[in-house]
Amino acid sequence: MTDMLIKGGTVLTMQPSDAIRQADVLIHGDRIQEIGPSLKVDGSCRIIDAVGCWVLPGFIQTHVHL
C-alpha cells in the first residue's frame, strides 16, 4: 500500500485545542499516521493538494449541507 499525504487543507478534528486548522494529514496504509503543518515525506508518497478544501480525518458519514 502506498502512503498518502493530504497537503494544505483545512483540517477539522475533535481536538478542542485546535479543532480547525491548516495542516497536512499523512496516511500510512489504512491508518492516519500524523496530522501537522508542513509534514515531510519521501518520494514514493502520493500527494494530494487540498488547499481550499476541508479535510475530515477519521469522520464517517460526512454528508452535510453547509
Side-chain angles (χ1 to χ4, degrees):
M1 238 179 226
T2 305
D3 290 348
M4 181 178 359
L5 179 68
I6 303 172
K7 188 163 188 60
T10 302
V11 178
L12 174 63
T13 66
M14 299 305 291
Q15 301 299 321
S17 60
D18 57 357
I20 300 175
R21 60 187 165 142
Q22 295 300 118
D24 300 343
V25 178
L26 178 61
I27 301 167
H28 177 71
D30 61 354
R31 305 272 181 184
I32 297 169
Q33 187 74 29
E34 186 175 359
I35 299 174
S38 304
L39 297 179
K40 304 293 183 214
V41 296
D42 63 26
S44 67
C45 188
R46 178 179 173 202
I47 298 175
I48 296 174
D49 181 5
V51 173
C53 298
W54 285 90
V55 180
L56 310 170
F59 282 49
I60 299 171
Q61 184 51 305
T62 57
H63 180 103
V64 296
H65 296 266
L66 299 174

